[in-house]
Amino acid sequence: MSLLGDCYKTVRQRSEAICSPLQTEDYVVQPIVDVSPPKWHLGHTTWFFETFILKPYFMGYQEYNPDYNYVFNSYYETVGARVIRTDRGNLSRPTVQDVYKYRAYVDEAMFRFLAEEPSAEVKELMTLGFNHEEQHQELLYYDIKYILGHNPLFPAYDAGYASPKIEHLLAADFISMPEGIYEVGFEGEGFSFDNELNRHKVYLNAYEISPNQVTNEEYLKFINDGGYHDFRFWHAEAWDWVKANKIEAPLYWHLIDEQWQNYTLRGLEQLDLDAPVTHISYYEAYAYASWKGLRLPTEFEWEAAADKFKWGKSWEWTESAYLPYPGFAKAPGAIGEYNGKFMVSQKVLRGASEGTPPGHSRPTYRNFFHPSMRWLFNGIRLAR
Amino acid sequence: MSLLGDCYKTVRQRSEAICSPLQTEDYVVQPIVDVSPPKWHLGHTTWFFETFILKPYFMGYQEYNPDYNYVFNSYYETVGARVIRTDRGNLSRPTVQDVYKYRAYVDEAMFRFLAEEPSAEVKELMTLGFNHEEQHQELLYYDIKYILGHNPLFPAYDAGYASPKIEHLLAADFISMPEGIYEVGFEGEGFSFDNELNRHKVYLNAYEISPNQVTNEEYLKFINDGGYHDFRFWHAEAWDWVKANKIEAPLYWHLIDEQWQNYTLRGLEQLDLDAPVTHISYYEAYAYASWKGLRLPTEFEWEAAADKFKWGKSWEWTESAYLPYPGFAKAPGAIGEYNGKFMVSQKVLRGASEGTPPGHSRPTYRNFFHPSMRWLFNGIRLAR
Amino acid sequence: MSLLGDCYKTVRQRSEAICSPLQTEDYVVQPIVDVSPPKWHLGHTTWFFETFILKPYFMGYQEYNPDYNYVFNSYYETVGARVIRTDRGNLSRPTVQDVYKYRAYVDEAMFRFLAEEPSAEVKELMTLGFNHEEQHQELLYYDIKYILGHNPLFPAYDAGYASPKIEHLLAADFISMPEGIYEVGFEGEGFSFDNELNRHKVYLNAYEISPNQVTNEEYLKFINDGGYHDFRFWHAEAWDWVKANKIEAPLYWHLIDEQWQNYTLRGLEQLDLDAPVTHISYYEAYAYASWKGLRLPTEFEWEAAADKFKWGKSWEWTESAYLPYPGFAKAPGAIGEYNGKFMVSQKVLRGASEGTPPGHSRPTYRNFFHPSMRWLFNGIRLAR
Amino acid sequence: MSLLGDCYKTVRQRSEAICSPLQTEDYVVQPIVDVSPPKWHLGHTTWFFETFILKPYFMGYQEYNPDYNYVFNSYYETVGARVIRTDRGNLSRPTVQDVYKYRAYVDEAMFRFLAEEPSAEVKELMTLGFNHEEQHQELLYYDIKYILGHNPLFPAYDAGYASPKIEHLLAADFISMPEGIYEVGFEGEGFSFDNELNRHKVYLNAYEISPNQVTNEEYLKFINDGGYHDFRFWHAEAWDWVKANKIEAPLYWHLIDEQWQNYTLRGLEQLDLDAPVTHISYYEAYAYASWKGLRLPTEFEWEAAADKFKWGKSWEWTESAYLPYPGFAKAPGAIGEYNGKFMVSQKVLRGASEGTPPGHSRPTYRNFFHPSMRWLFNGIRLAR
């Protein structure tokens, strides 16, 4: 089989491996609008290859089920009506088994299609398809954790799940970065998303950035110091959010018999004080930094210093809004909807997380979420 | 086995028989707040026997899982915290198989418990438990139809499902009922709910009531005459509801290529013009009657004439609000929450539906729903 | 001037007298959707005479301002588009002075019109117009109290305002009423609303009804006994309402330095323990009765006994839903929208209040509000 | 009188001059949450001087009314509880006359206080107070226009109101700006807000910027080309906003008898095709640019070129998110809440508007609003 075929197989199998510990019912539910049912992820990533590769490029390909276009489309307004996002968890059909059949059908067609060397244009789309499915693999981790972690029975995803360890450099000094012109953005061989292009110059003032992420122990001090009850540390919009949602701690933290418990993929556990704090919104990251008398780095400060610290356990909130780089242009057609249309009201995160597929991220990678989002694997690195 | 044991077995098996055509995924979802996931009905009715019979009366009974009390409680505030109603469809666990295991465990204990003749008090609670589970059997039909009928793939529940036929008496005259004192409410042997008690006198003016329910063909005339666009036929509250929800036809009707299709438990079908109209709110029933220059009967007019016409295919909206009968008193404890606490802002329906278990209803039976509800099997009978 | 002209003058002047203690700004605001700005009441009642008398019956009448039809129409869908109810408090124009000019203009035209004896049909409409304006006079009291009573400065409406005294018969026995057929509803000379017609027979079981309304002191016992925190006394819908709105006491009660203060039309005062409790919802009236082991009377029980007790300080919640009487028929045209379209989801109140114009109410009078409404002058009379 | 006293007088009189064409009622209402009643602006700006100058610095000053602190506080959480923003339009008291008395009282005290030369610290606070009141003067224009322009009678604010003319350079070429390091931000003598500090270097790629703002005629082409109905031009969040709010044109445009009318401060007028388009959200500005194949400038591109074009008729949306400049620090205490807490989810606008007080703006001035806001005087300048 071709290298492209191998890549395809690896990517596709990884999605199914992530879901392998699930019960059928776990594939179906959608407890909040930001979460998608796992079976939807499995169907949607398959629909992507069917819609953008097989239907336009594989002569004689027979669409599996035209109704699936309706069910598994996500935001691609170009491609036609879609099930509204809030309704994904209301759909018992197609069943999980139906979705796996759909995957097998499309995979089989893809392998036949890849028997011949595809054009450069198709290869580019394939690579986008791989990276797209890898993004959904990361979302699968977020969504599965939310589905199980918000069930009153607190079931484990995998009792033996081991999250990667990040070494902390005790009492390490902040890294000093000199004032000057830096180059940021992607350039060179290999895949990047359109939002990382083009490589361009930025001017940075001198700054310092921490080699470590903030730990649960440090964050607990903020809580114990009344950080969630003192408006001075919060944006006005954040303060409204804290009060409206009665936020008192990171997501998945539970104060039980005066002990902090934390829901992990292994189930409910005592809070690990040494681990980096995670599942906090940008609002909380900012408030924590504010309480410390420090600040979050911008995405360019982060990128310029990224080879000087270890990253990769959880995405790190930056102070930067998600905006187009100089010269940014949307691709034509439905593919063009990929990134550009989210470039308002979002904050950039940099790094990667324990849910990120190997090789998926890089120092120029720009992840982005609304500042209130907490269900992703995220964290805090401070600057000054 | 005892007669009580036979009854128990019959009731319990019927719930499972209703669910037998379902896929695992169909048991899990909750597309609107009024619908409960089928697995919740199966668990909740089991929890009822465990909580009100086994735990208080069966010495040495070992509770199956204390957390289930949290998951399967419904409105019984007395019994402790509960999963809020809107969250039922967010729970992937307990799985469907877990729920069936729970049923088997409780059933086995119940059979052991029933080996000895229970007290009169327990027998009364058992009978309430049977009737409670029968009510949920009816709800199972409503909810399953909603779950499948709101899926874009329109799957059939059972391709061979045959709904009972009701003979229509063509051009039949209205039945005349003389002015006078009538007795209404339940009295005598056998089970009744507390809301049917006590039998008491009411004074009715002379009235006439139709021997037939309104058909789809008749209702279509109302639609085609612009009934949904003329505020004069509607209550003020109903008119707001029509406009806010853009209501244009009964639930499950779809105008496809200028033909009216109707989702039934067999799937999408051409609208049967001769069948009684169903899945309309009280608001629509009232508006239809108003357009006809007629009115809905009160629940007492209905009851007084109930032996003069055929009923039982779908519950019939009445003009009566759901209020306590003279001398109504709640039972003490959690059981007392059964009916009384809903006696505000609801309308009474009389009769029965094709989803009603055999023998469950009777002429004094009072069903009740909020006037906007359409997912139940209901219908219209006119009076003047 | 004619008798009709005198009546007209009296009614019209009374509306303006009620508003005379107001500042211009008090005429404008609408703190909740149920409250209308006083200037709207003054304009709307004027619009009623202009629209239903002057325009159809007074040859050559020149409409004051066609745009006012848009601004001062209320629910009369027949008559054309209207400012939506929630927007009334957003309109700074027409100004208060403009509205008084409009009143003067219409009044002047009405006096010219009444120089000749009008037809019986017009007289009937005039009488409806008087009663309509009197209903708005009562609403003016409710709305003014709400506007001033929800201002953080707690301004008095009239520092010398004296509410009528109701004698309480200390420890008086309940009044016993025998079982049997009673006649209810309006019959005879004089004005009645369509919802009081026709006089008809009802069958009542034996009952007892209190000669007194519940006092603040009695209601305080319910509060102090934890009545607002015990779901057993409440309807399910009411319990949700209590929790969602954090209801702890009647409207206008304020616990300040551990003393109950009550906002009255004279300003904030110490709670008068002997006065009848008022500004409670039906939900609270029911919960109080439930806590007492008693119940509210039906509207027919109230009417049948109304000559045996004193009423008139505040409308009394009954257990009855607001439904049409036998033979009820809407008047044709816009006037027909008057009452019938509210006959769903409302509760009947009987009696009158201190805000009711003299002679406006009678024992057959049916007032009605949604069970959650508290800003009207209402109260509790118990039955058993 | 001192220079400071003269400035004070000028600023204070200008607020009252803006309100002089209003009727009492116009001062009171709040049709949407973003609008504040004019009397609130008059009271709040007065409260600012009383709270931050008179009370802490003027020995023996007698607070006018402690309750006003509650009514006229805005966002200053430090200073105590406040009337929630949505409630401002529900307050009939203090009356307009009361507010003018409050202004006179505080002004009189201020003049006495200014008889002696104040400290540098107080002078700085005074200057902030002037700029604060000037910002509210601009808001007064927005709010008054909204209040009158959303009244069904469309009253004019001032029939003779003349908005400043901006010359358009017909078919003018875009201005070319070379790549390189630019300095942005405020430095030097005179007042600036904390969000303009510090002056710092940014690196800009080569860009071109239009010397003209987009006109109504140009914008009309976007409308006529279906711009509001083609998702490709819109951010995902913007597209949801367009559909949810049924947006079809700028605020204040009305299509009447197939002619575009525009509400101006002179009343409803035929749309002036040559005037710059205004009252559009950032979403619309972006969509327009997208449809044109161009883009909005960043705030730094705007600032670097600001001396090359005329600006000042309406604030111009930029692509930049409102974020802190390098070295930004909040002032201590309540004054520190001024700007920093809004630095999330807002877009920067640059320039000034016809409602901006003379001398209030400058090229480094940063205005900011949520991207959906349309009631401010804003506009579009394109870049590429």
Side-chain angles (χ1 to χ4, degrees), chain C residues 25-26 70 92-93 96 151, chain D residues 25-26 90 92-93 96 151-152:
Chain C
E25 292 84 347
D26 301 329
Y70 183 67
S92 58
R93 312 288 179 94
V96 173
N151 189 298
Chain D
E25 293 85 345
D26 301 329
N90 297 332
S92 59
R93 312 290 179 92
V96 174
N151 188 297

Side-chain angles (χ1 to χ4, degrees), chain C residues 178-363:
Chain C
E179 184 175 13
I181 294 176
Y182 289 83
E183 292 222 336
V184 295
F186 186 84
E187 195 175 56
E189 294 294 301
F191 175 80
S192 79
F193 282 109
D194 55 359
N195 63 7
E196 301 168 61
L197 302 171
N198 298 312
R199 191 158 178 86
H200 65 286
K201 295 186 180 119
V202 294
Y203 194 93
L204 300 181
N205 284 271
Y207 67 101
E208 295 184 321
I209 190 164
S210 170
N212 295 330
Q213 283 189 287
V214 171
T215 65
N216 285 330
E217 184 170 23
E218 291 169 311
Y219 197 82
L220 204 47
K221 284 184 192 142
F222 167 68
I223 297 180
N224 293 337
D225 194 40
Y228 280 98
H229 298 276
D230 189 335
F231 69 88
R232 289 175 304 154
F233 307 130
W234 301 82
H235 287 110
E237 162 182 314
W239 187 239
D240 291 343
W241 173 85
V242 163
K243 287 184 296 181
N245 298 288
K246 300 196 182 81
I247 306 291
E248 302 270 354
L251 192 68
Y252 299 120
W253 287 31
H254 300 268
L255 192 60
I256 299 173
D257 298 335
E258 302 188 20
Q259 295 285 319
W260 282 107
Q261 302 283 316
N262 188 21
Y263 178 79
T264 74
L265 291 170
R266 287 177 302 276
L268 214 53
E269 292 183 345
Q270 188 144 341
L271 184 68
D272 177 356
L273 292 174
D274 295 333
V277 67
T278 186
H279 295 301
I280 38 88
S281 64
Y282 161 79
Y283 299 140
E284 290 162 291
Y286 172 91
Y288 176 83
S290 208
W291 170 79
K292 267 295 221 195
L294 297 169
R295 62 176 179 83
L296 303 178
T298 67
E299 63 170 319
F300 302 135
E301 288 173 339
W302 191 98
E303 185 173 333
D307 59 352
K308 297 184 168 43
F309 51 77
K310 289 192 180 137
W311 51 268
K313 185 163 161 51
S314 55
W315 292 95
E316 305 175 14
W317 286 110
T318 74
E319 184 56 40
S320 298
Y322 180 47
L323 295 174
Y325 279 0
F328 172 77
K330 288 198 233 182
I335 294 293
E337 292 187 52
Y338 206 94
N339 270 312
K341 71 178 174 184
F342 298 110
M343 289 180 174
V344 68
S345 305
Q346 314 273 340
K347 282 288 187 181
V348 173
L349 300 104
R350 291 300 194 98
S353 91
E354 60 183 271
T356 313
H360 179 77
S361 193
R362 57 202 152 263

Side-chain angles (χ1 to χ4, degrees), chain B residues 175 177 182 207 209 300-309 311:
Chain B
I175 299 155
M177 299 287 293
Y182 290 83
Y207 66 102
I209 190 164
F300 302 135
E301 289 173 339
W302 191 97
E303 185 174 332
D307 59 351
K308 298 186 167 42
F309 51 78
W311 50 268

Side-chain angles (χ1 to χ4, degrees), chain B residues 109-152:
Chain B
M110 284 294 295
F111 289 128
R112 275 191 289 122
F113 173 65
L114 293 175
E116 278 181 49
E117 181 79 4
S119 68
E121 184 188 355
V122 167
K123 277 183 189 166
E124 205 177 309
L125 279 170
M126 290 282 297
T127 308
L128 184 61
F130 298 162
N131 280 274
H132 173 257
E133 184 142 352
E134 286 175 349
Q135 288 185 315
H136 281 276
Q137 287 165 6
E138 172 130 13
L139 290 172
L140 271 168
Y141 277 112
Y142 303 169
D143 292 355
I144 289 168
K145 184 167 182 182
Y146 196 96
I147 288 166
L148 300 177
H150 282 76
N151 188 297

Side-chain angles (χ1 to χ4, degrees), chain A residues 6-17:
Chain A
D6 283 347
C7 281
Y8 180 82
K9 203 169 177 177
T10 304
V11 168
R12 299 287 287 169
Q13 283 179 346
R14 193 169 181 277
S15 298
E16 299 181 13

Side-chain angles (χ1 to χ4, degrees), chain A residues 71-295:
Chain A
V71 173
F72 290 126
N73 190 353
S74 69
Y75 281 89
Y76 300 87
E77 307 256 3
T78 312
V79 186
R82 56 184 165 93
V83 169
I84 55 168
R85 191 175 180 131
T86 49
D87 254 352
R88 287 181 192 160
N90 296 333
L91 302 187
S92 58
R93 313 289 179 93
T95 65
V96 174
Q97 205 179 3
D98 291 339
V99 173
Y100 276 108
K101 276 185 198 154
Y102 176 42
R103 286 183 74 88
Y105 177 90
V106 165
D107 285 355
E108 191 273 339
M110 284 295 294
F111 289 127
R112 276 191 288 122
F113 173 65
L114 293 175
E116 279 180 49
E117 180 79 5
S119 68
E121 183 188 356
V122 167
K123 278 183 187 167
E124 204 177 310
L125 279 170
M126 290 283 296
T127 309
L128 183 61
F130 298 163
N131 280 275
H132 172 258
E133 184 143 354
E134 285 175 349
Q135 289 184 314
H136 281 276
Q137 287 166 6
E138 173 131 12
L139 290 171
L140 271 168
Y141 277 112
Y142 304 168
D143 293 354
I144 289 168
K145 185 167 182 182
Y146 197 96
I147 288 166
L148 300 177
H150 282 76
N151 189 297
L153 309 179
F154 291 118
Y157 162 69
D158 175 357
Y161 177 85
S163 51
K165 284 282 172 207
I166 293 285
E167 278 171 62
H168 279 279
L169 316 169
L170 292 178
D173 283 340
F174 274 50
I175 300 156
S176 288
M177 299 289 291
E179 183 174 15
I181 294 176
Y182 290 82
E183 292 221 336
V184 295
F186 187 84
E187 194 174 57
E189 294 295 302
F191 176 80
S192 79
F193 282 108
D194 56 358
N195 63 7
E196 300 169 61
L197 302 171
N198 299 311
R199 191 156 178 89
H200 65 286
K201 295 186 179 119
V202 294
Y203 193 93
L204 300 181
N205 283 272
Y207 67 101
E208 295 184 320
I209 190 164
S210 171
N212 295 329
Q213 283 189 288
V214 171
T215 64
N216 286 330
E217 184 170 23
E218 290 169 312
Y219 197 82
L220 203 48
K221 284 185 193 141
F222 168 68
I223 297 179
N224 292 338
D225 194 42
Y228 281 98
H229 298 275
D230 189 335
F231 70 89
R232 289 175 305 152
F233 306 129
W234 300 83
H235 287 109
E237 163 182 313
W239 187 239
D240 291 343
W241 173 84
V242 163
K243 286 184 297 182
N245 298 287
K246 301 195 182 82
I247 306 290
E248 301 271 354
L251 192 68
Y252 299 120
W253 288 29
H254 299 268
L255 193 59
I256 300 172
D257 298 335
E258 302 188 19
Q259 295 285 319
W260 282 107
Q261 303 282 315
N262 188 22
Y263 177 79
T264 73
L265 291 171
R266 288 177 300 276
L268 214 54
E269 291 182 345
Q270 187 143 342
L271 184 68
D272 177 356
L273 292 174
D274 295 334
V277 67
T278 187
H279 296 300
I280 39 86
S281 64
Y282 161 80
Y283 299 140
E284 291 163 291
Y286 172 91
Y288 176 83
S290 208
W291 169 79
K292 267 294 222 193
L294 298 170
R295 62 176 179 83

